[in-house]
């Protein structure tokens, strides 16, 4: 199965939805359906929004890919059901989404980002923790979109139950920066899975400064 079903070739599958970075969701879905979900171009390697979308789409598309590889036809309606689930995920890309028997649970990206920063600040050796976006054209577009949705400092991409987070930190002098960064990754991932219900979390940590004990 090389192309997601849903209408003739060339027709937008998801009504030309774009991520905050400007990436076309249809193209990302086609990339996953073609089995290239882990093949990241230069933009995707830097973009938390694309990384979150590709990871979530890969998880959602897995049942279709497994059945397509088997020597039996996929059950009627399976691909359509998966497409409906994907559509529900991209209706609002500023919120996580979990569908339960009781209804939908949506949590704002800014809440996820705040939890990640607060969690990082609790790690011994961390003096300061900020949301981070690298200063390039891709980041500038994402930052503009973020501010437009009233999510300042949310260096985070979320889709469904997947999140990719960028954190920049300052550590205390003489503390092992690499160990502090690993502790942040472990704790943030555990916290977001426990408190937000995320299934897939990636945390990128950049150590930007080292401060003496007497520095604010």
């Amino acid at each position: 199965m090389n192309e997601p079903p849903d209408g003739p070739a060339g027709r937008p599958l998801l009504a030309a939805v774009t991520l905050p970075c400007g990436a076309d969701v249809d193209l990302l879905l086609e990339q996953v359906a073609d089995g290239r979900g882990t093949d990241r171009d230069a933009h995707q390697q830097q973009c938390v929004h694309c990384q979150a979308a590709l990871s979530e789409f890969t998880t959602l598309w897995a049942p279709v890919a497994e059945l397509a590889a088997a020597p039996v036809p996929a059950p009627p309606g399976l691909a359509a059901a998966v497409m409906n689930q994907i559509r529900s995920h991209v209706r609002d890309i500023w919120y996580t989404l979990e569908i339960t028997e009781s209804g939908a649970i949506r949590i704002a990206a800014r809440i996820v980002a705040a939890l990640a920063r607060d969690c990082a600040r609790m790690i011994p050796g961390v003096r300061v923790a900020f949301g981070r976006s690298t200063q390039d054209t891709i980041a500038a577009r994402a930052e503009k979109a973020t501010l437009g949705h009233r999510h300042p400092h949310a260096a985070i991409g979320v889709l469904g139950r997947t999140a990719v987070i960028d954190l920049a930190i300052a550590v205390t002098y003489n503390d092992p920066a690499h160990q502090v960064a690993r502790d942040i990754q472990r704790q943030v991932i555990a916290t977001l899975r426990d408190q937000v219900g995320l299934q897939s979390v990636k945390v990128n940590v950049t150590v930007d400064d080292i401060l003496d004990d007497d520095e604010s």
Side-chain angles (χ1 to χ4, degrees):
M1 182 176 296
N2 294 322
E3 296 183 3
D6 191 29
R11 189 180 74 181
L13 300 175
L14 300 171
V17 176
T18 58
L19 299 181
C21 61
D24 190 319
V25 171
D26 280 341
L27 295 180
L28 296 177
L29 178 55
E30 290 177 7
Q31 179 177 338
V32 169
D34 286 341
R36 297 179 290 105
T38 58
D39 299 338
R40 309 291 169 83
D41 60 24
H43 167 99
Q44 293 165 355
Q45 290 174 8
Q46 300 179 45
C47 180
V48 292
H49 303 286
C50 286
Q51 291 171 26
L54 286 169
S55 295
E56 185 72 6
F57 288 168
T58 298
T59 299
L60 293 173
W61 198 254
V64 178
E66 290 175 4
L67 287 170
V72 294
L78 175 62
V82 171
M83 287 300 301
N84 287 335
Q85 190 173 5
I86 289 174
R87 287 191 184 94
S88 70
H89 279 59
V90 299
R91 286 192 185 114
D92 193 336
I93 54 179
W94 292 107
Y95 289 83
T96 68
L97 176 64
E98 179 181 0
I99 304 298
T100 72
E101 294 181 355
S102 302
I105 299 174
R106 300 164 71 247
I107 300 175
R110 66 178 182 276
I111 302 301
V112 181
L115 284 172
R117 291 195 303 272
D118 290 345
C119 182
R121 294 186 183 113
M122 299 294 291
I123 300 298
V126 175
R127 299 291 297 278
V128 184
F130 301 100
R132 174 183 176 85
S133 291
T134 53
Q135 297 302 311
D136 58 17
T137 302
I138 297 171
R141 293 177 65 184
E143 184 176 359
K144 181 178 180 181
T146 299
L147 294 174
H149 284 76
R150 298 182 181 179
H151 300 301
H153 312 304
I156 179 173
V158 297
L159 193 70
R161 300 179 70 182
T162 298
V164 179
I165 302 162
D166 282 357
L167 290 171
I169 64 170
V171 299
T172 304
Y173 185 75
N174 281 334
D175 280 328
H178 64 290
Q179 185 59 54
V180 171
R182 283 197 290 267
D183 290 343
I184 288 173
Q185 289 176 319
R186 284 193 292 266
Q187 191 60 44
V188 169
I189 290 171
T191 297
L192 294 182
R193 285 178 174 170
D194 180 56
Q195 296 190 22
V196 182
L198 294 173
Q199 291 182 333
S200 176
V201 183
K202 180 179 179 180
V203 181
N204 303 312
V205 180
T206 301
V207 180
D208 270 347
D209 206 352
I210 296 179
L211 303 177
D212 292 328
D213 289 334
D214 58 350
E215 289 187 86
S216 59

